[in-house]
Amino acid sequence: MNDAKILVVDDEPAIVSGCEMILSEQGYHVETCLSGREGLKKLQTVPFDLVLLDIKFPNINGIDILKILKQKNIQVTAVIMTGKGTIENAVEAMKSGAFDFITKPFGEEQLLEVITKALESLTLIKENENLKKQLYDKFDFNNIIGHTPEIQKLFEKIQRVAPLDSTVLLNGESGTGKELFAHAIHEKSNRSKELFLAVDCSTLASTIMESELFGHVKGAFTGADANKQGIFETTSRGTLFLDEIASLDMDIQGKLLRVLETGEYKPVGSSRIKKTAARMVAATNRDLGKMVEKKIFREDLFYRLNVFPLHIPPLRERRKDIPEIAYHFLKIFSRKAHKKIHGFSDDALSALVNFDWPGNVRQLKNVVERLVIMCDAQELNYQSLMDNFQTDSQPAECSSIPTNLEELKIAKKSLLKDRFGPIERSFLRQALDAAEGNISQAARSVGMQRSNFSAMMKKHGIRF
Ligand SMILES: Nc1ncnc2c1ncn2[C@@H]1O[C@H](COP(=O)(O)OP(=O)(O)OP(=O)(O)O)[C@@H](O)[C@H]1O
């Protein structure tokens, strides 16, 4: 938000001109006032994104200014400048709605850090407001939601590969949307009028899998009392989505390779060759390259599948998509439940953005669904979110059994984080509630340094 409009209000000319210089150099539009009254007047007449406000003026103090702005419903993010030893005032200012404070004297780095943090939070608040406005009229159903460059690049690649017959290999953690993207490939291809069939390769035993995929003839095995058409034949000229391809055993891998190379296969028990024109899209949450190295996945099949690999990043690597996805599901589930919920509170949305989502979009979807079911208010707030995170504490997803010490350590760390995160958040909330929002007091009451306590708050997206 480098085009943000910032007002600097202080009666010390050196501070005003110093801040003006540093902030203008970053591209911000800066205006200045040398008295509290002048600053207040300006804030009431001109819209600013942020005000950097001294706490002490001869006629009016910064806290009074904040209170007047609040009464008049003037929205501006405030960062308060305080002198040494006036920490209590700073806390009061935060309670009156200031986003943060900075203690004088401060350096360029400190100033820019606090301003960047405040503006980042403002961006999220504005986005929340926009999404609330759009909630009941804009989103399209059944969409793949995502505007981050990572997802936009994926869309672009899908546009290019969809009309071709090339095999696509989707890779991504569980719940990132692999099936949704596979479907999008089908929809954007010339086969969109044909069938899209999804097969989860991990659910069927290999003996059944072969006959499921390729069909069988009467008498091929005990119980085969009639000819049966396989999935390839059913798919015909459509798209076959092979999910969890890493679960296929070596024998079927060989048969699949033949289909990919020649389009030919034999039903179980038959010597007659059949041909398929199905397009294949495969998906896995495992590292097939590593499986090849360990000789548990065929190298030739890997290269055949890997013609056009698409990686879907986990949600924690595209956090900017979280608000829009959360609102997308809010719209779907509130309609379903016949509830008119206006949106998420800012701190609830911030917590959603900061959570790591080990179960990715699927987990976010489940949390929002549960929130909507439980919600009797017009807004989904932080507390209801916390309550629902706690009931969401099912074992964190561990996509595969670790195969070495390093992987084991990573899995352990991630499980600990998933279990511990909600407890840590509730711990902070409890201390803050008991201290009526006074951060220093809350930190003291639990035996922590204020700086560590606020760092932990920041990690969980808690603002006071
Ligand atoms: N970008 C997105 N926008 C909207 N919904 C999404 C998005 N990504 C995933 N979803 C939804 O999240 C859920 C999980 O997605 P999907 O089943 O495609 O994930 P997956 O990667 O195939 O999971 P798994 O590996 O466990 O099979 C689905 O309900 C899907 O519709």
Side-chain angles (χ1 to χ4, degrees), residues 126-307:
K126 282 191 172 169
E127 193 181 357
N128 196 11
E129 271 163 21
N130 280 340
L131 289 166
K132 275 181 195 169
K133 278 186 209 141
Q134 292 168 9
L135 184 58
Y136 286 95
D137 54 43
K138 207 175 152 209
F139 288 142
D140 208 351
F141 265 74
N142 303 323
N143 251 351
I144 302 183
I145 309 295
H147 280 99
T148 47
E150 292 84 346
I151 293 296
Q152 291 298 314
K153 262 185 227 153
L154 268 176
F155 288 157
E156 206 184 299
K157 287 184 182 168
I158 283 176
Q159 288 282 8
R160 283 178 191 276
V161 76
L164 312 175
D165 282 335
S166 316
T167 304
V168 177
L169 179 62
L170 293 161
N171 176 273
E173 289 177 13
S174 179
T176 45
K178 295 185 292 295
E179 183 160 349
L180 202 61
F181 280 97
H183 210 271
I185 294 171
H186 174 70
E187 287 298 322
K188 297 211 167 291
S189 75
N190 308 328
R191 301 166 182 260
S192 60
K193 301 263 177 304
E194 308 280 340
L195 210 58
F196 173 85
L197 262 183
V199 178
D200 184 344
C201 304
S202 67
T203 52
L204 296 174
S206 57
T207 41
I208 304 174
M209 191 66 182
E210 185 178 351
S211 104
E212 284 295 315
L213 286 176
F214 307 118
H216 62 248
V217 293
K218 188 177 171 185
F221 47 84
T222 328
D225 39 22
N227 287 354
K228 189 184 168 233
Q229 168 173 303
I231 287 167
F232 273 106
E233 198 167 344
T234 313
T235 311
S236 183
R237 294 198 42 77
T239 306
L240 178 57
F241 174 54
L242 294 169
D243 201 2
E244 310 283 356
I245 189 104
S247 310
L248 287 181
D249 78 7
M250 286 289 201
D251 184 39
I252 308 239
Q253 286 179 30
K255 292 182 170 136
L256 192 62
L257 175 68
R258 182 168 173 208
V259 183
L260 279 166
E261 285 180 333
T262 62
E264 292 177 350
Y265 65 92
K266 273 194 229 158
V268 179
S270 165
S271 53
R272 240 190 76 216
I273 291 174
K274 287 198 170 188
K275 275 216 150 254
T276 176
R279 191 228 190 124
M280 267 182 271
V281 176
T284 180
N285 55 18
R286 300 188 61 181
D287 184 340
L288 286 188
K290 271 202 183 143
M291 290 180 70
V292 169
E293 275 170 30
K294 287 182 198 152
K295 305 205 182 313
I296 48 176
F297 199 85
R298 285 182 70 131
E299 190 174 11
D300 41 12
L301 177 61
F302 171 61
Y303 287 115
R304 270 281 161 193
L305 289 170
N306 208 30
V307 180

Side-chain angles (χ1 to χ4, degrees), residues 5 15-16 36 47 60 76 125 132 161 170 205 213-214 251 269-270 299 342 360 370 406 409 434 437:
K5 268 188 90 174
I15 297 218
V16 168
I60 187 168
V76 60
I125 291 171
K132 275 181 195 169
V161 76
L170 293 161
L213 286 176
F214 307 118
D251 184 39
S270 165
E299 190 174 11
H342 297 313
N360 293 293
R370 204 159 42 230
E406 197 46 37
K409 279 186 193 160

Side-chain angles (χ1 to χ4, degrees), residues 40 44 63-76 92-98:
L40 178 59
Q44 288 176 291
I63 293 169
D64 291 334
I65 296 180
L66 289 178
K67 285 182 180 157
I68 296 170
L69 292 175
K70 204 170 183 179
Q71 272 166 15
K72 303 208 163 178
N73 206 12
I74 293 169
Q75 310 249 332
V76 60
E92 207 189 328
M94 303 275 281
K95 279 201 211 159
S96 309

